[in-house]
Every structure is written in structure tokens, then in C-alpha cells.
Amino acid sequence: MKRLGIILLMCILLTGCQGQSTSETMLENETYTIEDTLEYTIVSNEEVDAITPTNKNNDYESIEVSQDDYSFVDVVMKVNNISDKDYELNDIFSVYFKVNKLSYDIHLAIESNNYNSLSTTDTLKSGEERYVHMYCEMEESQLKNDISLELRVLNQTSYIYTFSTYEETTVNEEKTIGDEINLSQSMITLIDVYTDTQITPSDKGLVYSYIPLDNEDEVFLILKLDLRNDSEESINPREYLYCVYEMDDESVQSQIIIESENHKKISKSGSVDAQTTRTIYLAMTLTQEQVDSGYIELFVEGSVFRISE
């Protein structure tokens, strides 16, 4: 009888152990895969006052904090659907934050294909790669502590991602002038970074149009590039590119100026037709003191590049 009791106890213990699932440690900028289904990568974590799309060139709606002395913790993940199925956002992830043994429910929002709007109900279709925001409101006092994100993907694989919003974790690929960036829809060639008091076309001729500064104590910091459209559809640079000058406590968004095919005119509107190349000016308005106090970041097709001269 005693032996039978021991055997039953061992069976219960074994069953309990088999029921426990282990969680894999997740690292930022590492790609994880559920075979033939999803690929996903954590690209950033931030403390923010609002959840916004990455590309802010056009008007957009944001998600704002609802309480004073609260901020959002926002973890952004790049998710690629490599299956032949479509997935509802809430069917992909089950997730919550844990801080000092307190658990916080997480909300999900997915960016559009152009990364310029947010949805909390959208579907990740077969073949799509999108940004997903995992966020919650938290007392600002809690943000001084390490935060754990506990994540389960498609109810199959579990992860733990531990981070601090006070530590910079995003590592962007660096590009220099003269480099080519090969993308799925285009190839971008970085031509020059320079300062000027006006934006002018490459071929000025005797008479040319230009874009001036609004204030005499400011200067344009200009990233000039060629965009070759390798796709079968036109590309709107305002929807395709997003460029900012990042400083410690501020970021300055660029204007996007497109040059005519003959390089004699510039315009704030227009598209790059399929199988053609156009010159683009990404111009940030700065004070003289700001010019050497930050760096340029270029966002395109879900990737961020830090641009240096």
C-alpha cells in the first residue's frame, strides 16, 4: 500500500512538471520564428506620452495617456506573416507587463502598411510585415524599475523580455554618404548631407525656384538622396520615407522635397513613377547651435538607418 502511494505521488509530480511551460529569454533586435508562420523582432522600447505611428509626415491619430503622472510603456515589435493565413491582432499575442510583482494588462495596436496610422482591430494578412505596439499606462514612478514583458505567441511559444526605458536599446544600422540601401521596392543612394539657407534644385540655370527659411537665425540641414523605384507602382515619398534629426531632448522632422526629372525644379508634392529615379531632399530646420548636436535617422520599409557624413 505504501509503495502504491509513492507511485501515485510520483505520477502526480511528473504530470505537474509536464504541464509547466518554460519561457525563452527574448532580446531586442533578434528575430524569432514560428516555422512557416511568423517572424518577429523587438525593435524598440520607450516611455512616451502618446502611442503614434512611426511615419508622421501626414495627419494621424494618436492614443493619449488618460491620467496625470502616468506615461505609456511602449514596446514595438516588427511582425512578418510568412504563412498563407491571415491573423487577427488579438489572436497573435497574449502579453502583459510585470513591475515589482505588479502585473499590467497590455493593449495592442498595429501600424498600417505605410507605417502612418494605427489600428487596434486590424488583421495581419499573409505576406505582410507590420509594426505592432504593445503598451500600457503606468505610474511614472514605476518606470525607474526594470520591466518584464511576458509574451505568448499564437498560444504556442512563451517569452520573457526584461528591459529598462532608461537604457537605450535600439541599435540602428549606420549608413554613410555614398552608400546604397537596397530595399524590396526601391534602391536609395545617399548623395550628400549639408547645410544651406535655402533648398534649390541640382540644375539651377539662370532662373530657378527655391524654398527659403522662415527665420534668419535658422539653417536647413539637408539629406540629399536618389530614390530608384524598382516596383510596378508609383511611390509617394511622404508615405514611403520618414526622416528626423534626433537630439537628446528633441527631434526635428524633415520636409520632403522632390526634384523634377530634368533636375531644374523642386516641389513639396509629387511621386516617383515606377521604374524611374528621382532626387529627394529631406530638409530639417535647425538653429545653428543644433546642427552638430544630434544625428539623422531615416525610416523606410520598416527599417531605421542612422546617417553619417
Side-chain angles (χ1 to χ4, degrees):
M1 189 73 180
K2 183 177 180 181
R3 180 177 296 177
L4 178 61
I6 293 172
I7 293 172
L8 287 171
L9 178 61
M10 291 178 65
C11 290
I12 291 170
L13 290 172
L14 286 171
T15 302
C17 291
Q18 290 172 353
Q20 294 175 357
S21 60
T22 58
S23 297
E24 182 178 351
T25 298
M26 181 173 262
L27 303 173
E28 56 271 349
N29 300 304
E30 293 284 338
T31 299
Y32 299 84
T33 304
I34 293 180
E35 187 175 1
D36 299 325
T37 307
L38 292 177
E39 295 176 342
Y40 37 96
T41 307
I42 290 176
V43 296
S44 67
N45 68 69
E46 285 187 290
E47 174 192 350
V48 294
D49 294 327
I51 306 300
T52 62
T54 306
N55 186 332
K56 303 175 183 64
N57 287 326
N58 300 311
D59 293 337
Y60 62 90
E61 293 185 0
S62 61
I63 302 168
E64 307 287 338
V65 291
S66 61
Q67 303 178 68
D68 293 336
D69 300 323
Y70 274 63
S71 292
F72 283 124
V73 176
D74 183 25
V75 173
V76 180
M77 181 176 287
K78 182 192 292 186
V79 186
N80 184 12
N81 183 354
I82 56 175
S83 75
D84 56 3
K85 293 176 57 178
D86 298 344
Y87 289 98
E88 296 289 338
L89 179 59
N90 289 309
D91 291 337
I92 301 175
F93 297 113
S94 173
V95 58
Y96 61 90
F97 286 130
K98 185 175 285 187
V99 184
N100 282 343
K101 298 182 180 180
L102 295 175
S103 294
Y104 294 81
D105 290 332
I106 290 181
H107 302 282
L108 301 174
I110 189 168
E111 296 192 15
S112 63
N113 286 313
N114 291 325
Y115 303 94
N116 57 10
S117 64
L118 294 170
S119 171
T120 58
T121 59
D122 208 353
T123 299
L124 182 68
K125 295 182 173 58
S126 174
E128 285 188 339
E129 182 178 82
R130 312 265 288 273
Y131 272 11
V132 174
H133 295 254
M134 304 175 180
Y135 64 95
C136 77
E137 285 190 48
M138 195 176 294
E139 303 94 328
E140 291 178 353
S141 60
Q142 291 281 43
L143 296 174
K144 299 176 182 178
N145 303 297
D146 285 349
I147 302 170
S148 290
L149 179 149
E150 302 196 9
L151 172 71
R152 190 162 176 82
V153 183
L154 291 178
N155 205 30
Q156 296 181 32
T157 309
S158 298
Y159 301 92
I160 294 179
Y161 170 55
T162 302
F163 64 96
S164 169
T165 58
Y166 284 82
E167 296 177 3
E168 184 175 350
T169 57
T170 305
V171 179
N172 297 321
E173 185 176 352
E174 187 164 325
K175 294 292 183 180
T176 59
I177 298 308
D179 284 350
E180 294 177 345
I181 304 174
N182 289 292
L183 303 157
S184 64
Q185 298 180 57
S186 73
M187 185 181 78
I188 291 173
T189 304
L190 304 175
I191 299 174
D192 199 6
V193 173
Y194 60 97
T195 57
D196 207 333
T197 56
Q198 56 188 18
I199 307 168
T200 60
S202 303
D203 186 357
K204 297 182 181 64
L206 295 175
V207 179
Y208 61 91
S209 62
Y210 67 92
I211 297 172
L213 287 161
D214 292 330
N215 301 300
E216 292 182 357
D217 60 344
E218 294 175 333
V219 66
F220 285 125
L221 177 63
I222 301 170
L223 171 60
K224 181 179 179 180
L225 57 84
D226 277 350
L227 192 158
R228 188 185 75 193
N229 183 356
D230 295 328
S231 73
E232 298 303 318
E233 298 181 358
S234 64
I235 290 176
N236 181 341
R238 290 180 59 82
E239 295 184 349
Y240 188 66
L241 303 171
Y242 182 69
C243 184
V244 293
Y245 186 70
E246 289 286 358
M247 295 167 282
D248 287 340
D249 55 356
E250 185 181 1
S251 62
V252 177
Q253 182 179 329
S254 75
Q255 299 183 57
I256 297 182
I257 312 299
I258 186 168
E259 192 171 79
S260 61
E261 290 189 66
N262 64 6
H263 303 287
K264 293 180 181 295
K265 297 179 181 179
I266 54 175
S267 173
K268 293 184 179 181
S269 61
S271 298
V272 183
D273 292 336
Q275 308 301 316
T276 65
T277 300
R278 300 285 287 274
T279 299
I280 308 291
Y281 299 87
L282 303 172
M284 291 138 284
T285 304
L286 307 174
T287 64
Q288 290 286 355
E289 292 75 18
Q290 290 175 322
V291 170
D292 295 318
S293 63
Y295 54 88
I296 298 172
E297 280 190 345
L298 176 66
F299 176 81
V300 56
E301 285 193 21
S303 296
V304 182
F305 302 95
R306 183 177 293 196
I307 310 299
S308 58
E309 298 183 46

